[in-house]
Amino acid sequence: MRSRLPYGMLSLSMLVALVATGCSQSTAGTATPGAPAVAPVGVAGGGQFNGNDKAAIAYDRALVPKSAQASLTAESVGNATVTSLVVEGFLRNRAYGAHLHAKPCGANPQAAGPHFKNGHDEVWLDFRTDGNGIGHATTRHDWQLDPANLPQSLVIHAAPGDSAPRIACLTLHRR
């Protein structure tokens, strides 16, 4: 979903709520008749990288302006997990790397620990911003998040892939 509204008209939280609602509704009714219901499992996080938000930490101000913000939802329903990321206020027309990590954010970029994995699978959300600094990414996996082992952060890298420097981190919380 690409926003055609001028920058700032559609708030980040409203956009993420729309994406999350759409994802939840699109997976409703997928349970097998007679099978036990599986409760949705998920994580979410959001914040502005302005230096005042402890859940959203910027490590590189040249690539993550104080106006930058991000919001992420990951939800499992049945045997499917949909993860959606929306960012705005980032540098215009630029590619960034992003993926989920095993530990919460900290003052040091390495605090988020290793990549979050489900078996050998990882959740990658690399994105490219448009001319207004807005970007988004959505992934779908055919597995369910384990409530005992949830991702705890989203790390944003200076470029797609995991070898580029970590430039920002968003702490996630169980939904």
Side-chain angles (χ1 to χ4, degrees):
M1 162 179 17
R2 183 165 274 219
S3 173
R4 300 251 183 232
L5 296 174
Y7 176 74
M9 279 190 75
L10 183 62
S11 78
L12 184 60
S13 59
M14 286 175 51
L15 184 57
V16 169
L18 290 171
V19 169
T21 301
C23 292
S24 295
Q25 289 175 350
S26 68
T27 57
T30 58
T32 305
V38 177
V41 176
V43 294
Q48 186 169 359
F49 298 100
N50 59 12
N52 299 325
D53 190 340
K54 295 188 188 305
I57 300 172
Y59 304 118
D60 185 337
R61 267 299 159 219
L63 297 175
V64 185
K66 285 189 174 187
S67 62
Q69 54 186 316
S71 185
L72 178 129
T73 60
E75 184 173 48
S76 291
V77 177
N79 288 325
T81 298
V82 176
T83 306
S84 296
L85 170 65
V86 178
V87 301
E88 59 180 56
F90 278 73
L91 298 181
R92 297 173 180 179
N93 301 311
R94 189 173 197 295
Y96 290 88
H99 48 271
L100 301 182
H101 275 251
K103 296 182 180 181
C105 304
N108 178 323
Q110 300 308 313
H115 297 176
F116 168 78
K117 293 185 180 192
N118 183 4
H120 296 292
D121 217 0
E122 298 182 1
V123 178
W124 288 72
L125 297 153
D126 295 349
F127 62 93
R128 181 170 188 82
T129 57
D130 64 14
N132 292 316
I134 298 170
H136 59 87
T138 299
T139 64
R140 182 185 186 284
H141 291 88
D142 293 327
W143 43 257
Q144 182 166 3
L145 288 168
D146 177 356
N149 180 34
L150 294 171
Q152 295 187 41
S153 62
L154 167 80
V155 171
I156 300 174
H157 288 262
D162 65 348
S163 62
R166 297 177 182 194
I167 60 170
C169 188
L170 184 68
T171 296
L172 305 175
H173 302 281
R174 185 178 181 142
R175 290 176 46 140

